[in-house]
Amino acid sequence: MSKLTEWSFRNKAAIILIVIMALVMGVISYLRLPMEFLPAADNPQVMITAIGPGNDAKSMEQKVTNPLEAAVMLVKGKTSMLSTSGDGYAQINLNFDSKTNMKETKAEIERIVGQVQLPSNVMKPFVVQFNTSMIPIAWVTLTFDEGMSEQEKEVKLEEVTSELQKSEGAGAVSISGKSTPAVHVIPDTAKLAEKGIPIQALMGVLQGRGASVSIGERTIDGAAGNINVFDQVTGLETLRKLPIGAGVRLADVAAVELSKDQESISRMNGKDAIMYTISKSADANAVTVGNGIEKTVERLNADMKGIEASIILSTSDSVVSSVNSMLREVLLGALFATIVILLFMRNFRATIVTIVSIPLSLGITLYLLQLSGVSLNIITLGGVAVAVGRLVDDSIVVIENIYRRLQKESFSVKLITDATKEVASAITSSTLVTVAVFLPMGLLRGSLQAFLLPFALTVAYSLLASLLVALTVVPLLSAVLLKGTKEKEHAGSPKFAAFIRWNLAHKWVPLLIAVVLFAGSISAYVFMPKGALDSSSAENINVTLQYPSETPAELVQEEGKKFESILTADQDIEWVMMMLGNSSDAAQYGSVSSPTLITYMIDLKDGVDAEVFMEKVKSHKESFKDAELTADASDLIMGGGSSQIFIDVTGDNAEELTQTAEKLIAAIQPIDGVQKVESNQEEKKSVYSFKIDPTLAKGQEVAMQLQSMLNPLPIGSIQIESSDTQVLLQPVVHANSKAELEKLTVMTEAGPISISEVAELIRTEEPALFYHKDGKTYLRVTASAEPKELSVVGTEINKAAAAIQLPEGVAIAVGGASAEQSSDFADLGLTALISIGLVYLIMVLTFKTLRAPLAIMISLPLAAIGAVTGLLISGVTPDFTAMFGALMLIGIVVTNAIVLIDRVKQNEQSMSIRESLIEAATTRMRPIIMTAVATVSAMLPLVFGSHESGSIVSQSLAIVVIGGLVAATLLTLIIVPCVYELLFFKVSRKQRRAYAANAQAEAAATNQA
């Protein structure tokens, strides 16, 4: 690498031009790089959703879920299949391995699902495959002025929808809370009987109406003309006047009312509202699309009367906020690193030379990111924030060595090139080692790779760029700015040299202390609870009110509005969005839920502690005893985090499944940290089934008659205000008890007869939900854990599950948050082992020996001491990001040990091993401490700053890196020399004996003289 330095001195003009180009290209790349919230990543999952209003859970399972599961069972690449069947909906989740081409798989599943025959009252299933580009860009609410007719609202709604879809880069637009105007014809049975009009006459009131027929062309009054016949019912008054019998009009026997039918209910701050969820197209820029939607909303409010559209949340704002937040932390980190260098160097020129590597490295990094097709997002910016302290490390080592040589020798270009050459091997291997740590991230599976690979590329690009700058630009600048300077000599500390000498003479003392500290830190980590991500700073809360499935819809809505009024009165919130029911729009994106589940999305005001607010919400449980109230931190962009643990019980015997689930619940309930435990079979719903005697009636005919008697029946449409409006004949019978159901009259071949004479009415209690796992029924036991105790609770639940005696053919699988956490930790553990192997390999290639790198590797367990101590002192619970910080430490902490051992190897050419170690420790102490303090200072903004949800750069990561680096730096200067001498103890002992013999011989010669 020293050849690179010599080349830069021979081509100064070219280097100046390259520097200018790097800075300019960096600025251009920053302006051109697409801003996104997250990198593009496919979720290896396909979701099939079907809606069948009015169908009970068992019907959906048997008639919808089973045939769909059978159809997709053999799709290539499928690893598992889970399904849920509930009242009015069915959902199937297909999971695939990371090698599967998800776009092709989705297309194949759509083709298969399209061929499945489903009941006529079930909508065509929706097939969706998620990726990060489908994260909504904006949530827009639309409200109408009071007094506006339903038809006017419908027209305005279509206009607004069309305009939002036209926004630049906008993709799918989902609507919830939409109401459809409909005309309800409500029969009066007494008047029908009085007039002698059968109910069937009402069904045909619109038959033959609304005709539009072309008769043909004729010559009329000497000119060709067309003759048409059209008959349209326009308005409610016309409908009421339609005849249904001799001298009898519709209004005489039925009430005719204009109503609105809603698939789902959406309310904003206590008012009915339409909610749009808008995604961007795959290749669009999130910020550009968000700004376009904002302009569209402003224009709609200005140009369209009677409406008010407002953006309740915009991803583009979050993206800009995230980018600005990360940039601020990067700049603060650079400033802190600069101050540290200035304090150590006490030379302004030398500081300028050092910190030039930050803007240059960032410029090169941004250009390389653009070439790689990587967007500017919180993951890549997090990589920059983490790397910024490390960007100056190579330059610090180079300038410090030049600075040290200038204290003893006069200035010359040869001095600068020689000083750079002295450390070139050390900084090259240390940088390659750090980059190598991040390479195995490319081996991670699925979406984890998609998230971590851009981070790894960002860090790798920035570090390699900083190495290039340190070997070319820094020596050149030193030759310009330090020319003619003669620095005051700065000798190594004699006290520190004596301290190192004592440690080498009594090496078992520091080594034993290090082993005890390491064992203590590992023990502390093992017993330390690993938590879910902290949610106290969350801005959005997801609150649910779940009523039993048998609760009437009217009561659910009434109770939902009651709780809504409590929430809207709270001073801590900006807005509350209430949602209830399923809609076809939402189902397109896999969003379906129980008809008795009310969901509240809450946006908190700045500074409100989300944890405290959630406890306040939960305190209202007593007021809604019939419902289950939950409150969780949520991210409208990333989705809510969960601390639920699932235990799935599978088998063929339903009774054994139930017994095993009951045993599990009994075993899990007493565990500390378990807040609630329940089974998916606990909730039952009454199902009334007519068992028809086939010798007395036809089941199909009876079913059709009951549907027309008990459910609204479409009988046609009329024109109201230039739009088609459906006309529904309302039920004539309102059977509210089993006895009333048995009294219903149906037509058979023998004439009208009571249904109880041809069928037996059977009442059963059926589960409200049916779960399938790979096509088989299973029971799910769900335990809600204290988030900060997630790992502990997960371990205890695993123990409790393992202790249960299982019947033959029954199996238990633990999943959910703790299993995902364990899986992520295992993936990172494997990545860490591969990284350690690569680090060792690079150092063996650098030092041409197996033993010296072993001394360097001892700095890794030393870092663990500091990392765990940092977590204990700060009280931060280790999570996934903390583990990621530990992975980063592998590359960061060995840097100091490499710089130390590289100096030792240079010294060994003229000194004994012990003297080489003492000289290297005292000489390299200053650059080692400088680089460590600069890196720590650069990461301090991450400890005290705000962190964007979804980012792997968090407070816990920063604490782990800072704690580990501080401990490793201090202990590296002491422990690594001891281990190094221990590895070469025979040679060192021989040298010391020879030195002692020579000293005695010299003393004897002196005495004789």
Side-chain angles (χ1 to χ4, degrees):
M1 297 303 285
S2 57
K3 301 282 185 187
L4 203 58
T5 308
E6 292 169 6
W7 179 86
S8 67
F9 273 97
R10 290 197 303 270
N11 299 274
K12 293 177 185 177
I15 292 293
I16 293 169
L17 189 60
I18 290 169
V19 166
I20 295 169
M21 286 173 64
L23 292 172
V24 171
M25 289 307 297
V27 172
I28 294 172
S29 298
Y30 172 73
L31 297 173
R32 286 187 176 179
L33 273 169
M35 281 191 186
E36 304 292 348
F37 194 77
L38 290 169
D42 267 331
N43 185 6
Q45 184 184 70
V46 172
M47 191 180 288
I48 305 168
T49 307
I51 294 181
N55 287 287
D56 65 291
K58 192 162 190 176
S59 297
M60 291 299 295
E61 180 207 31
Q62 294 175 347
K63 297 178 182 178
V64 180
T65 305
N66 287 345
L68 286 173
E69 284 182 335
V72 299
M73 184 65 75
L74 300 177
V75 174
K76 187 180 177 182
K78 179 175 67 65
T79 56
S80 66
M81 179 171 66
L82 296 168
S83 72
T84 305
S85 306
D87 287 344
Y89 74 94
Q91 191 168 71
I92 302 169
N93 288 309
L94 299 162
N95 297 306
F96 295 85
D97 58 45
S98 56
K99 298 175 185 175
T100 305
N101 185 316
M102 294 311 302
K103 288 179 177 59
E104 290 179 4
T105 300
K106 181 196 172 188
E108 183 187 353
I109 291 172
E110 281 180 330
R111 180 183 57 78
I112 293 170
V113 168
Q115 296 172 353
V116 178
Q117 294 295 318
L118 298 176
S120 58
N121 61 347
V122 174
M123 293 182 193
K124 182 184 176 183
F126 300 104
V127 178
V128 62
Q129 187 270 316
F130 292 105
N131 57 54
T132 51
S133 67
M134 294 173 68
I135 293 172
I137 284 295
W139 284 263
V140 178
T141 57
L142 178 66
T143 55
F144 302 99
D145 289 352
E146 290 184 15
M148 189 179 289
S149 70
E150 293 300 318
Q151 282 70 27
E152 287 177 318
K153 289 180 182 178
E154 188 70 20
V155 171
K156 300 281 187 187
L157 180 65
E158 288 179 7
E159 286 183 39
V160 172
T161 306
S162 174
E163 289 300 316
L164 288 173
Q165 286 173 331
K166 289 177 188 174
S167 295
E168 183 187 352
V173 177
S174 168
I175 308 171
S176 61
K178 183 169 64 173
S179 63
T180 306
V183 176
H184 289 181
V185 176
I186 306 158
D188 186 323
T189 51
K191 289 181 179 178
L192 283 168
E194 181 188 327
K195 303 283 186 183
I197 303 294
I199 188 72
Q200 286 77 9
L202 299 186
M203 295 180 190
V205 69
L206 287 172
Q207 284 181 2
R209 316 262 181 203
S212 179
V213 181
S214 177
I215 305 300
E217 186 179 288
R218 291 289 184 272
T219 301
I220 311 290
D221 295 333
N226 290 329
I227 301 173
N228 293 332
V229 173
F230 68 92
D231 159 28
Q232 286 187 336
V233 180
T234 54
L236 295 183
E237 281 306 313
T238 306
L239 179 60
R240 291 186 180 110
K241 292 174 184 176
L242 292 180
I244 57 167
V248 180
R249 298 170 183 263
L250 181 61
D252 296 335
V253 292
V256 179
E257 298 174 356
L258 184 63
S259 183
K260 62 177 183 178
D261 293 337
Q262 279 188 290
E263 286 184 303
S264 61
I265 294 169
S266 290
R267 289 167 62 83
M268 168 61 72
N269 290 337
K271 295 179 181 178
D272 286 337
I274 304 294
M275 182 169 171
Y276 291 95
T277 305
I278 306 165
S279 302
K280 72 178 185 68
S281 55
D283 55 350
N285 186 317
V287 176
T288 305
V289 177
N291 292 339
I293 290 169
E294 193 173 327
K295 289 176 184 174
T296 301
V297 167
E298 288 175 2
R299 192 180 73 253
L300 287 170
N301 284 328
D303 298 346
M304 200 175 291
K305 304 301 179 186
I307 69 153
E308 184 182 350
S310 56
I311 300 173
I312 60 171
L313 193 77
S314 173
T315 308
S316 64
D317 292 341
S318 300
V319 171
V320 172
S321 170
S322 304
V323 170
N324 290 342
S325 173
M326 280 297 179
L327 282 176
R328 185 173 62 251
E329 286 170 2
V330 166
L331 293 173
L332 280 172
L335 176 64
F336 290 163
T338 303
I339 293 169
V340 168
I341 295 164
L342 186 60
L343 289 174
F344 272 92
M345 291 287 194
R346 296 190 295 276
N347 185 302
F348 187 73
R349 290 183 181 183
T351 303
I352 292 294
V353 172
T354 308
I355 63 167
V356 77
S357 62
I358 294 178
L360 267 178
S361 301
L362 291 179
I364 295 169
T365 301
L366 289 170
Y367 178 62
L368 291 174
L369 286 177
Q370 187 187 8
L371 288 181
S372 305
V374 177
S375 65
L376 205 60
N377 54 64
I378 60 171
I379 303 292
T380 49
L381 280 168
V384 174
V386 165
V388 71
R390 181 68 179 74
L391 292 182
V392 292
D393 282 11
D394 294 341
S395 297
I396 284 175
V397 174
V398 170
I399 194 69
E400 198 279 337
N401 206 44
I402 293 170
Y403 197 69
R404 184 179 57 80
R405 290 278 296 268
L406 281 173
Q407 292 168 349
K408 299 178 180 179
E409 307 167 39
S410 58
F411 177 87
S412 69
V413 171
K414 189 175 186 308
L415 178 147
I416 290 174
T417 53
D418 287 350
T420 306
K421 187 177 179 180
E422 271 184 25
V423 294
S425 174
I427 63 173
T428 301
S429 57
S430 65
T431 300
L432 291 178
V433 158
T434 311
V435 170
V437 167
F438 294 95
L439 289 180
M441 290 180 186
L443 304 176
L444 291 171
R445 56 186 171 83
S447 57
L448 200 58
Q449 181 199 53
F451 280 107
L452 296 187
L453 194 57
F455 183 93
L457 286 175
T458 306
V459 175
Y461 289 157
S462 57
L463 294 185
L464 290 172
S466 72
L467 173 65
L468 193 64
V469 171
L471 292 171
T472 55
V473 179
V474 169
L476 265 181
L477 270 179
S478 299
V480 174
L481 294 179
L482 300 182
K483 190 174 183 179
T485 59
K486 179 70 179 175
E487 308 300 338
K488 185 180 178 182
E489 188 168 343
H490 174 78
S493 169
K495 290 182 180 179
F496 183 70
F499 178 66
I500 295 296
R501 190 179 296 279
W502 185 91
N503 277 282
L504 289 170
H506 308 84
K507 61 176 69 67
W508 293 110
V509 175
L511 288 175
L512 185 62
I513 293 171
V515 169
V516 170
L517 287 174
F518 177 67
S521 64
I522 295 301
S523 301
Y525 177 77
V526 169
F527 292 105
M528 190 184 293
K530 286 80 179 174
L533 297 180
D534 177 47
S535 55
S536 59
S537 60
E539 294 178 359
N540 301 108
I541 304 295
N542 191 58
V543 177
T544 62
L545 208 57
Q546 174 73 70
Y547 279 87
S549 56
E550 59 192 17
T551 311
E554 296 80 10
L555 179 60
V556 173
Q557 191 171 336
E558 183 185 327
E559 291 293 289
K561 289 179 180 178
K562 178 181 169 185
F563 189 53
E564 179 190 46
S565 64
I566 293 172
L567 293 173
T568 51
D570 197 301
Q571 297 298 312
D572 289 338
I573 65 166
E574 286 285 351
W575 49 259
V576 178
M577 188 80 186
M578 170 183 156
M579 290 174 291
L580 169 63
N582 293 317
S583 70
S584 54
D585 275 292
Q588 290 182 54
Y589 304 98
S591 178
V592 289
S593 62
S594 165
T596 56
L597 175 69
I598 311 161
T599 303
Y600 303 90
M601 289 195 307
I602 300 169
D603 186 57
L604 298 177
K605 289 181 178 176
D606 291 342
V608 175
D609 189 310
E611 298 280 359
V612 174
F613 179 81
M614 285 189 285
E615 288 303 315
K616 184 166 59 173
V617 169
K618 290 174 185 175
S619 69
H620 293 289
K621 279 185 179 179
E622 286 301 310
S623 303
F624 300 88
K625 291 181 179 178
D626 294 336
E628 182 186 321
L629 176 62
T630 64
D632 294 298
S634 172
D635 183 355
L636 292 179
I637 296 163
M638 291 294 295
S642 171
S643 58
Q644 288 188 329
I645 299 165
F646 306 131
I647 307 96
D648 294 338
V649 186
T650 54
D652 297 320
N653 188 309
E655 189 176 335
E656 288 179 346
L657 290 182
T658 303
Q659 289 172 356
T660 305
E662 288 171 354
K663 288 179 185 176
L664 265 173
I665 292 170
I668 292 169
Q669 273 176 335
I671 294 174
D672 288 339
V674 172
Q675 297 173 329
K676 183 181 66 175
V677 59
E678 59 189 349
S679 160
N680 63 317
Q681 265 210 339
E682 286 181 349
E683 190 181 337
K684 304 279 186 177
K685 185 176 182 179
S686 297
V687 176
Y688 295 87
S689 305
F690 285 103
K691 188 178 180 183
I692 305 291
D693 184 339
T695 63
L696 300 174
K698 295 178 181 178
Q700 186 70 33
E701 290 179 357
V702 172
M704 289 177 67
Q705 292 179 60
L706 290 177
Q707 278 197 344
S708 65
M709 279 191 276
L710 300 173
N711 296 320
L713 183 70
I715 59 173
S717 64
I718 65 172
Q719 284 275 322
I720 299 180
E721 296 181 11
S722 302
S723 65
D724 276 334
T725 305
Q726 193 175 37
V727 181
L728 298 168
L729 180 63
Q730 296 302 300
V732 273
V733 178
H734 299 280
N736 297 320
S737 67
K738 185 179 179 183
E740 289 179 1
L741 283 172
E742 289 175 325
K743 290 177 184 176
L744 294 175
T745 301
V746 293
M747 290 295 294
T748 66
E749 291 177 355
I753 192 170
S754 172
I755 196 170
S756 59
E757 295 182 32
V758 296
E760 179 188 0
L761 183 57
I762 302 168
R763 181 181 181 273
T764 56
E765 292 292 317
E766 299 283 356
L769 292 168
F770 289 88
Y771 290 89
H772 288 185
K773 190 171 189 177
D774 295 323
K776 292 184 178 180
T777 300
Y778 75 102
L779 292 189
R780 169 165 286 183
V781 175
T782 304
S784 297
E786 175 65 36
K788 291 185 178 179
E789 301 286 332
L790 184 59
S791 64
V792 176
V793 173
T795 303
E796 291 300 316
I797 286 176
N798 274 309
K799 288 179 184 176
I804 292 175
Q805 293 291 325
L806 298 176
E808 191 174 343
V810 175
I812 286 178
V814 179
S818 67
E820 289 170 8
Q821 184 190 59
S822 299
S823 173
D824 288 343
F825 280 21
D827 281 345
L828 281 182
L830 178 62
T831 305
L833 289 175
I834 296 170
S835 298
I836 289 170
L838 286 172
V839 166
Y840 186 63
L841 176 63
I842 290 170
M843 288 190 294
V844 168
L845 291 171
T846 301
F847 292 105
K848 309 292 191 296
T849 174
L850 291 170
R851 285 185 288 179
L854 284 177
I856 294 171
M857 296 298 281
I858 202 67
S859 59
L860 296 180
L862 302 180
I865 298 169
V868 175
T869 304
L871 290 171
L872 287 171
I873 292 171
S874 64
V876 172
T877 306
D879 52 25
F880 172 79
T881 62
M883 289 297 294
F884 190 71
L887 176 63
M888 288 173 52
L889 272 177
I890 295 170
I892 294 173
V893 300
V894 295
T895 302
N896 292 332
I898 289 172
V899 170
L900 177 67
I901 297 302
D902 179 72
R903 180 71 180 183
V904 171
K905 285 296 182 186
Q906 291 178 24
N907 289 342
E908 282 180 7
Q909 296 174 13
S910 57
M911 301 181 192
S912 67
I913 288 176
R914 178 163 291 186
E915 293 306 315
S916 295
L917 288 167
I918 294 168
E919 194 280 338
T922 51
T923 302
R924 291 289 192 237
M925 180 180 74
R926 191 164 77 150
I928 285 174
I929 291 177
M930 277 175 69
T931 55
V933 174
T935 304
V936 167
S937 300
M939 293 202 78
L940 284 177
L942 295 176
V943 176
F944 302 107
S946 60
H947 312 288
E948 297 300 324
S949 51
S951 177
I952 53 176
V953 179
S954 69
Q955 186 185 45
S956 56
L957 177 144
I959 288 169
V960 165
V961 172
I962 289 172
L965 185 55
V966 169
T969 301
L970 296 176
L971 294 174
T972 291
L973 291 166
I974 302 166
I975 305 299
V976 170
C978 293
V979 173
Y980 185 89
E981 190 176 60
L982 205 58
L983 290 169
F984 295 92
F985 72 97
K986 285 185 179 178
V987 177
S988 181
R989 184 173 60 187
K990 188 176 179 181
Q991 288 174 345
R992 291 198 305 275
R993 284 175 178 173
Y995 178 79
N998 288 337
Q1000 286 178 354
E1002 288 177 8
T1006 303
N1007 290 334
Q1008 288 176 0

